[in-house]
Amino acid sequence: MVYLHGAMCETLRLYPSVPYEHKQSIEPDVLPSGHAIDGNTRILLSIFSMGRMEEIWGSDWMDFKPERWISVGSTDEKKMVVSHVPAYKFAAFMAGPRTCLGRKIAFVQMKAVASCVLRRFKFEVVDDHPVVPDASILMFMKYGLKVRVSNRA
C-alpha cells in the first residue's frame, strides 16, 4: 500500500484534481515568499504548475516517480514508509487552515478501489490515443482515456 500511496501522490502532483485555486486577502499581509500584498488582493495559485516546478521537485520533475514519496523506516526494519511532504509543497489538497478535511478518507477510498480493480483487471492505454489534460475548474481528460481492459490471468 505504500507504493500505491506514492503512485497516487505522484499522479496528483502532475495532474491535480483542482488545478487552480484562488485566495483573497482581507487586509495587507506578507506572503511566505516575503512579498507584501495589499488588502483585498486576489491571488491565483496554479497547483498544476507547482507540480512541475524544478525549484520544488528537482531536475526530474517530469518523471513519474512514486519513489519520491517513499522513504525507508528505521535501520532495524528497512521497511518502506510514506515520506512526509509538506502541504505547502504538495498542494493538491491545499494547506494550512484550508486543508481539505477529506484528504485521509480520499486516500483510503482511492486505495480500496484501486486494490480491488487492479487485482482483477489489467489496463493498457490504447496506442496513439492522445492523453491530454483539459483544465477547467476541475481537471479532466480532453479526449477521455481510452484503455483496453482485460482479466488478469
Side-chain angles (χ1 to χ4, degrees):
M1 286 299 195
V2 173
Y3 197 84
L4 179 58
H5 188 95
M8 290 175 175
C9 287
E10 191 68 351
T11 300
L12 288 169
R13 176 183 73 86
L14 292 168
Y15 300 101
S17 303
V18 181
Y20 307 101
E21 180 66 48
H22 76 275
K23 300 292 180 195
Q24 187 167 345
S25 65
I26 296 172
E27 55 190 45
D29 202 354
V30 177
L31 300 175
S33 63
H35 293 87
I37 58 171
D38 296 327
N40 203 29
T41 299
R42 183 167 282 180
I43 299 171
L44 178 67
L45 303 169
S46 176
I47 311 300
F48 183 84
S49 296
M50 287 174 62
R52 291 165 159 66
M53 291 179 69
E54 185 172 351
E55 297 84 11
I56 296 174
W57 299 101
S59 60
D60 62 349
W61 63 270
M62 197 54 192
D63 297 341
F64 185 83
K65 291 177 59 178
E67 297 82 9
R68 76 174 83 236
W69 303 90
I70 300 168
S71 60
V72 177
S74 66
T75 54
D76 301 343
E77 300 174 25
K78 300 216 178 196
K79 182 178 173 184
M80 292 188 337
V81 295
V82 175
S83 296
H84 170 73
V85 176
Y88 289 102
K89 179 178 179 180
F90 175 58
F93 291 94
M94 292 310 297
R98 300 290 184 222
T99 298
C100 175
L101 297 175
R103 176 188 177 140
K104 289 183 180 178
I105 194 70
F107 275 108
V108 169
Q109 288 177 334
M110 287 189 293
K111 289 176 186 177
V113 170
S115 61
C116 288
V117 171
L118 293 174
R119 182 175 13 149
R120 294 181 179 169
F121 303 102
K122 181 179 175 184
F123 296 85
E124 295 178 73
V125 176
V126 172
D127 291 337
D128 299 325
H129 176 70
V131 178
V132 180
D134 192 2
S136 67
I137 194 162
L138 296 176
M139 177 83 68
F140 60 94
M141 302 305 292
K142 188 171 188 173
Y143 305 106
L145 184 61
K146 292 185 181 179
V147 295
R148 193 169 291 112
V149 181
S150 58
N151 286 318
R152 288 200 181 268

